[in-house]
Amino acid sequence: MLRSFSYAALVALTKYTARRPEDFAQLESWARLWETSVSAEFLRAYRETIADSPIRSRRSPGIRRALSTSTFSTKALYELVYELNNRPAWIRIPL
């Protein structure tokens, strides 16, 4: 889900600035802010939803560790290779 937010922000930015390339630098920080805000809200709601679930570890920072691990997972590498092979113009998104 978090990767989807990244793609949504940067694809919209890329499409808009294809017509107005001079706006890219100014709008990129807003796209990143949107991505960060939406991701934070998603994670907050997720933690709230699973607060009483038996899948949540109460003894360790499991969610934080799992999130860090999954961020650099095989999926991220897959996205990088996919974009290189299919949409080189989008390579900045998984990077």
Side-chain angles (χ1 to χ4, degrees):
M1 213 42 226
L2 299 177
R3 296 298 305 137
S4 295
F5 298 142
S6 178
Y7 269 75
L10 291 173
V11 167
L13 175 65
T14 301
K15 284 187 176 190
Y16 178 80
T17 58
R19 293 171 295 181
R20 298 182 55 111
E22 68 276 8
D23 292 342
F24 187 89
Q26 180 181 359
L27 294 176
E28 183 178 23
S29 61
W30 287 106
R32 298 284 183 192
L33 177 63
W34 179 87
E35 175 191 349
T36 300
S37 299
V38 171
S39 296
E41 180 57 24
F42 175 83
L43 291 171
R44 185 206 59 75
Y46 182 82
R47 284 191 302 269
E48 180 181 307
T49 301
I50 68 163
D52 297 325
S53 172
I55 67 168
R56 182 169 179 228
S57 172
R58 304 227 185 266
R59 293 179 287 142
S60 68
I63 291 174
R64 206 176 286 259
R65 185 175 298 134
L67 182 59
S68 293
T69 301
S70 68
T71 301
F72 299 105
S73 71
T74 303
K75 176 70 174 151
L77 292 174
Y78 166 81
E79 290 174 7
L80 181 62
V81 171
Y82 180 87
E83 300 305 352
L84 279 170
N85 290 326
N86 296 289
R87 297 181 290 212
W90 288 25
I91 195 66
R92 75 179 319 143
I93 298 171
L95 287 176

